[in-house]
Amino acid sequence: MREYNNARVGYLKAVLNNNQDLEIKNLKILVSSGKKLKKNITKYEKELKKYNGTINNKSRIEPIKITKPIKIKKITKIKKPKISKIDTNKSQYTIKSVVSKDNKITIEFNTNITKDYVRFFEKKVKNANQDIYDIKGRFKDAHPTKLRISGVKQIVIKQEKYNTLRILFEDKINLKTVYSVNKKRLTISVLNLKNKSSKKSTSKAKISKSPKVIKTGQNRVIVLDAGHGGKDVGAVGKGKRYEKVVVFKVTKYLESILKKRGYKVYLTRNNDRFIKVKNRTILANKKKADIFLSIHANAAHKSRIHEARGIETFFLSPARSERAKRVAAKENKSDIRTMSYSTKNVFLESLNRPRITASQKLAIDTQRNILFTARSLYKDAVDGGVREGPFWVLVGAQMPSILIEIGYISHKEEGRRLYETRYQKKLALGIANGIDSYFAKNP
């Protein structure tokens, strides 16, 4: 079952990153393990057949059947075929221009493009971090073009392959680059630049009381839900550490960061009070929110209390794994529902598929960023991954929505960290960066 679930997550990431080899690898695992588990794997088999058909058609050579003796005719002069001249200016170069300005690099194409034109990956080289973009296309002036962004140590542009333009960002810190596609334009933005300027101390800096904040919210509306509250304390850790307390503090720090970035932010609860799960999305729908986030802390059974730890992000979908069902049961218990198990599953299966896909993307960006900031303070922060589960707090939301488990409050070390102010602020910053990344990629 674990192999099957890991392959599903891997397949999703491969599709989003346009990694065909990884798609095929995960599809094979899904088909083989799905058969053993007696799962409905029809859609995975169809996808795999598409790739197999492409591969086989390229390599298949039909044998020549000879039914009658071949008569050899007298060879006459062979006329050479006419070769038309190719206009290289029109067919060879598909990228018009590449320009850097402020914290962005803009690539203009001759035709409309999609996200399939971009492949992004990261590298760690000695003491430097690299963000690398391989872009489908050819640029005539790749060699003479120079790209610079203030605060970035080095940006390299080169024609890596005949039809692949590579743009590489390198710096000591993780620059946290994101990209967006709009018709004939690809825009790459660098989000993590403010730390670079903070090192410079000048007399002019003393005049300003607070640093200038780049507003990325663009009037986006976000509703934040701090889990539990009031009589519902949620999970309880060592020394009576309550889930409702820690998630409320992280939510308040997150609200502050997002407002500074230009977002319109609303909270489902502004104090320690109990709200029914089914009522938490009413505010989100009323305010016509762009996204809804519910923040929680996890807990493990006594048998696993010393080993269970990690940050996890869930999106609403029928739970495929027993682990997801257990976590969902813990978070759903404060809400009294009369639906039968089969009715719940039928309802979840009928959910809006585009909304689930958008929620998956939001979950992936949030998980990646929250883990990065957590590890800047504690390198051993565990990646629990992106998962799907039947969380009723997300059911009523009419927009992309996720539930974040910021850690296990039941774990001795992780529970202690969750009560640290500096760690709470790091978690809030990571979630905020994940939201920025999601909107940058999905304008």
Side-chain angles (χ1 to χ4, degrees):
M1 180 62 81
R2 183 180 293 177
E3 183 184 40
Y4 181 79
N5 288 328
N6 288 340
R8 290 191 68 190
V9 175
Y11 174 59
L12 172 64
K13 288 181 179 178
V15 171
L16 291 173
N17 291 321
N18 195 28
N19 190 330
Q20 194 177 102
D21 292 337
L22 201 57
E23 276 186 55
I24 295 169
K25 181 183 175 182
N26 282 292
L27 281 169
K28 287 179 179 178
I29 296 170
L30 284 167
V31 171
S32 61
S33 58
K35 284 179 180 177
K36 293 175 185 176
L37 295 166
K38 296 181 179 178
K39 296 275 185 183
N40 184 357
I41 55 169
T42 310
K43 61 180 180 180
Y44 299 127
E45 288 178 322
K46 283 181 180 178
E47 289 299 318
L48 192 58
K49 278 181 181 178
K50 287 179 186 177
Y51 286 121
N52 288 340
T54 305
I55 295 163
N56 292 337
N57 287 337
K58 287 179 181 178
S59 59
R60 191 183 293 124
I61 299 170
E62 293 292 339
I64 299 168
K65 292 180 181 179
I66 300 171
T67 53
K68 293 180 181 179
I70 299 169
K71 291 180 180 179
I72 300 170
K73 292 182 178 180
K74 200 172 183 180
I75 297 170
T76 56
K77 258 189 177 182
I78 299 170
K79 291 181 181 180
K80 291 182 180 179
K82 289 181 180 179
I83 300 170
S84 57
K85 291 182 180 179
I86 298 169
D87 186 349
T88 55
N89 289 326
K90 288 184 179 179
S91 61
Q92 192 176 11
Y93 301 108
T94 54
I95 296 172
K96 285 168 63 177
S97 64
V98 182
V99 180
S100 56
K101 186 180 180 182
D102 299 328
N103 70 322
K104 293 182 175 67
I105 290 175
T106 305
I107 301 103
E108 297 284 352
F109 288 78
N110 290 320
T111 57
N112 288 344
I113 63 167
T114 65
K115 288 185 179 180
D116 294 336
Y117 276 63
V118 187
R119 179 173 171 259
F120 167 76
F121 58 99
E122 295 174 298
K123 268 188 180 182
K124 185 82 175 176
V125 185
K126 293 182 181 178
N127 297 322
N129 295 283
Q130 292 183 347
D131 280 15
I132 301 168
Y133 288 85
D134 278 350
I135 302 158
K136 183 181 176 182
R138 187 163 176 80
F139 182 40
K140 183 181 179 181
D141 299 318
H143 179 64
T145 298
K146 302 286 184 185
L147 299 174
R148 291 184 182 88
I149 291 177
S150 179
V152 180
K153 183 183 176 182
Q154 179 180 225
I155 303 174
V156 177
I157 176 172
K158 64 174 179 176
Q159 198 68 47
E160 181 71 9
K161 293 179 183 177
Y162 181 83
N163 202 35
T164 303
L165 180 72
R166 172 167 291 185
I167 298 178
L168 179 149
F169 300 79
E170 184 173 292
D171 205 289
K172 288 183 179 179
I173 64 168
N174 189 319
L175 295 167
K176 302 194 70 57
T177 61
V178 296
Y179 73 93
S180 61
V181 172
N182 186 9
K183 295 182 180 178
K184 297 181 181 181
R185 179 177 295 172
L186 167 66
T187 305
I188 303 172
S189 306
V190 182
L191 300 179
N192 196 14
L193 285 175
K194 58 183 179 180
N195 293 335
K196 302 288 290 182
S197 58
S198 63
K199 293 179 182 179
K200 298 178 182 179
S201 57
T202 64
S203 57
K204 288 182 180 178
K206 293 177 183 177
I207 298 169
S208 177
K209 291 181 179 179
S210 59
K212 186 180 178 182
V213 178
I214 298 171
K215 294 195 173 186
T216 54
Q218 299 174 342
N219 294 319
R220 300 278 189 179
V221 179
I222 298 173
V223 171
L224 303 177
D225 171 52
H228 309 281
K231 64 181 181 181
D232 177 19
V233 299
V236 182
K238 189 179 179 182
K240 291 187 177 179
R241 293 187 179 117
Y242 294 142
E243 177 184 357
K244 70 172 185 176
V245 175
V246 69
V247 298
F248 183 70
K249 287 184 177 180
V250 171
T251 303
K252 289 296 288 181
Y253 289 133
L254 176 58
E255 177 195 26
S256 177
I257 295 168
L258 291 174
K259 281 185 174 179
K260 286 177 183 177
R261 296 184 182 184
Y263 292 96
K264 289 184 179 178
V265 186
Y266 299 94
L267 305 184
T268 57
R269 66 178 179 99
N270 282 289
N271 50 35
D272 185 20
R273 66 191 183 96
F274 175 73
I275 304 171
K276 287 185 178 180
V277 171
K278 64 181 179 180
N279 293 335
R280 290 177 184 256
T281 53
I282 290 175
L283 178 66
N285 296 332
K286 186 179 177 181
K287 296 296 181 182
K288 296 181 180 178
D290 291 290
I291 57 172
F292 174 81
L293 288 85
S294 189
I295 299 171
H296 292 256
N298 219 330
H301 187 268
K302 287 181 180 179
S303 60
R304 298 182 63 250
I305 204 166
H306 298 297
E307 58 181 87
R309 61 188 300 188
I311 299 165
E312 298 167 301
T313 306
F314 291 83
F315 62 93
L316 180 66
S317 190
R320 305 299 184 192
S321 69
E322 290 303 317
R323 184 155 177 259
K325 286 177 184 175
R326 285 197 300 272
V327 176
K330 177 181 74 68
E331 301 300 353
N332 292 335
K333 70 179 180 181
S334 63
D335 187 33
I336 301 169
R337 295 262 173 169
T338 55
M339 277 189 188
S340 66
Y341 178 76
S342 58
T343 308
K344 286 177 184 177
N345 270 352
V346 170
F347 177 75
L348 286 165
E349 291 287 1
S350 67
L351 286 170
N352 181 286
R353 178 52 57 184
R355 177 158 64 91
I356 291 177
T357 303
S359 298
Q360 282 179 317
K361 291 177 180 179
L362 175 60
I364 289 168
D365 280 329
T366 304
Q367 178 70 13
R368 176 174 176 261
N369 282 276
I370 194 173
L371 195 68
F372 171 76
T373 53
R375 283 177 175 169
S376 69
L377 196 59
Y378 295 110
K379 291 182 180 179
D380 62 342
V382 175
D383 181 8
V386 173
R387 302 174 183 276
E388 52 184 296
F391 293 93
W392 292 110
V393 70
L394 305 180
V395 168
Q398 295 168 2
M399 68 291 299
S401 54
I402 58 173
L403 184 143
I404 306 162
E405 296 281 2
I406 55 175
Y408 278 77
I409 204 165
S410 56
H411 188 271
K412 183 180 177 182
E413 181 59 27
E414 197 161 70
R416 181 190 63 76
R417 291 175 184 176
L418 287 173
Y419 256 68
E420 288 180 358
T421 299
R422 61 174 187 161
Y423 190 57
Q424 290 168 0
K425 288 180 177 179
K426 286 288 185 185
L427 295 173
L429 177 62
I431 298 170
N433 289 343
I435 291 169
D436 275 351
S437 178
Y438 169 76
F439 282 125
K441 292 176 185 175
N442 304 279

